[in-house]
Amino acid sequence: MNLPLRKLLSFFCILFLLNACSENKKQNTSPLFDLKKYFETQIALLKQSNPKVQKLVIQNGQAENRYMQIEDWSMELKPFFESDISKPALRNSYRVDTLNASCLACYVVYIAIDSSQAIRKVDLQSNKNTITQISILRTTGSNLLQ
């Protein structure tokens, strides 16, 4: 093989490797889970199916349990919309821990890096790419409502 051809091949190999490395970096910096979009989808499904749900409210140690039809799913799920961590301003505010990343039974935890964040932690559990459970730990400035 002559020298110019060898240099050209070397150049393309290096270019290919650099491109492969940059593709990997793009995949590893995934955005935070979009809770708002997820709940918008759920609201559309719930409006369509209009299920009767069991609602349990515990306040001051008193539990109230009712079966009911929800009139306004947007209002009912408003606290979840307010817990959206996918905003661009929050991109570097959460540490992401993943267990079993194959997502056959995946568990992802978003933990606030800064203690001033109201949304302290978001736990997502999924099974075969379907969300099965969402748990959100949110604090307020009030000790009364914490």
Side-chain angles (χ1 to χ4, degrees):
M1 201 182 282
N2 64 20
L3 190 60
L5 185 58
R6 185 178 292 172
K7 283 184 177 180
L8 187 61
L9 283 174
S10 296
F11 172 75
F12 281 116
C13 286
I14 291 171
L15 188 62
F16 175 77
L17 289 173
L18 288 174
N19 187 37
C21 289
S22 68
E23 290 294 321
N24 254 352
K25 287 180 184 175
K26 286 179 186 173
Q27 290 174 350
N28 290 337
T29 57
S30 62
L32 299 171
F33 184 76
D34 192 344
L35 283 172
K36 185 176 180 181
K37 183 177 178 181
Y38 174 78
F39 283 109
E40 285 172 349
T41 303
Q42 294 305 305
I43 286 170
L45 293 171
L46 290 165
K47 282 181 179 178
Q48 191 175 42
S49 65
N50 196 23
K52 193 171 190 177
V53 297
Q54 179 182 8
K55 188 171 183 178
L56 173 66
V57 177
I58 301 172
Q59 184 175 1
N60 298 328
Q62 298 281 352
E64 184 180 340
N65 190 13
R66 281 199 239 165
Y67 288 91
M68 59 193 307
Q69 299 284 142
I70 303 296
E71 297 292 323
D72 185 356
W73 282 103
S74 297
M75 194 62 172
E76 189 72 22
L77 297 177
K78 185 178 179 184
F80 295 97
F81 278 106
E82 293 171 349
S83 300
D84 186 23
I85 61 170
S86 67
K87 299 170 189 154
L90 299 176
R91 186 168 299 247
N92 296 319
S93 299
Y94 291 88
R95 183 181 85 232
V96 182
D97 292 333
T98 306
L99 298 175
N100 195 0
S102 69
C103 281
L104 293 176
C106 190
Y107 182 69
V108 180
V109 182
Y110 300 93
I111 302 169
I113 295 169
D114 182 3
S115 62
S116 68
Q117 292 295 333
I119 309 305
R120 303 297 307 140
K121 184 175 159 185
V122 176
D123 295 321
L124 297 172
Q125 293 181 31
S126 63
N127 189 356
K128 297 180 184 175
N129 294 325
T130 301
I131 300 293
T132 57
Q133 182 175 338
I134 297 176
S135 174
I136 301 170
L137 176 60
R138 181 183 182 136
T139 60
T140 64
S142 166
N143 287 333
L144 178 64
L145 296 176
Q146 198 164 31

